[in-house]
Amino acid sequence: MDDPFLQLREQILSCNKCDLCQGRIHVVFGEGVPDAKLMCIGEGPGYYEDQQGRPFVGASGQLLDKILAVSGFSRQTNCFIANIVKCRPPQNRDPRPDEREACIPWLMQQIAIVNPAIIVLLGGTALKGLIDPNAHITRYRGQWLTWHGRWVMPTFHPSALLRTPALKRDAWEDFKKIIDKYREVVNPQHHSDYH
Ligand code: URA
C-alpha cells in the first residue's frame, strides 16, 4: 500500500492520541475527492457521523450538501470534507483545546496531501483550530485569509444556520465569494446554479 492518503487513513483510524478515542464508534477520517481544490473543514463528528464513520451526514450535513450543490460543489465531484477532530466528543460538546491540538497534525497531513487551493472553515472551532485559538467566527467570517499559500474563507457552521436561519443570508454571501475565488484560481468555467 503506497498511496499516501490510504496510509494516512490507516494511521488516523487507529489513533488514540486523546481521550475521545475511548467513546467513539468510528473515527471519521473525512470524505471526498482526494485531490479536490476545495476543502471544507468542520468541527468534529456528531452522533450520526460517529455511527456511520462519515462526515456531515446528519441534519447539518444535509444543509451543507445543499449549499455545496447549489454552489456547484459536492463530495463526489470536486470537494473534500474533513473535521478538526476525528472522534465524537461526548454529548456533542465542543472539542477541548487539548483535543484539537492532539488531532490537528492529522488535519495538517490531510491538507498537505489533498493540496486544496481554497479552504472553507465551517464555524468557530475550525477557525480556532486552524488559524487562531482566540478568533471569533462573527468577526472573521466573509473575509479571505491566506494561510500557507492557500485561500481560506471562514463562514458559519451549518448547525448555526439551522439554529438561526437569519444567518443564511450572510452564509450565501460567503459562498458567492467562494464561487468567485474558485473561478479565479481553479476553474473559470465552474458552474453554479446560484451565482
Ligand atoms: N458537524 C461537524 O462539524 N462535522 C461533522 O462531520 C458533522 C457535524
Side-chain angles (χ1 to χ4, degrees), residues 139-158:
R139 199 166 75 70
Y140 274 78
R141 68 140 279 275
Q143 299 177 51
W144 285 113
L145 308 170
T146 52
W147 176 86
H148 297 266
R150 306 178 200 280
W151 292 100
V152 173
M153 174 58 72
T155 188
F156 293 119
H157 192 284

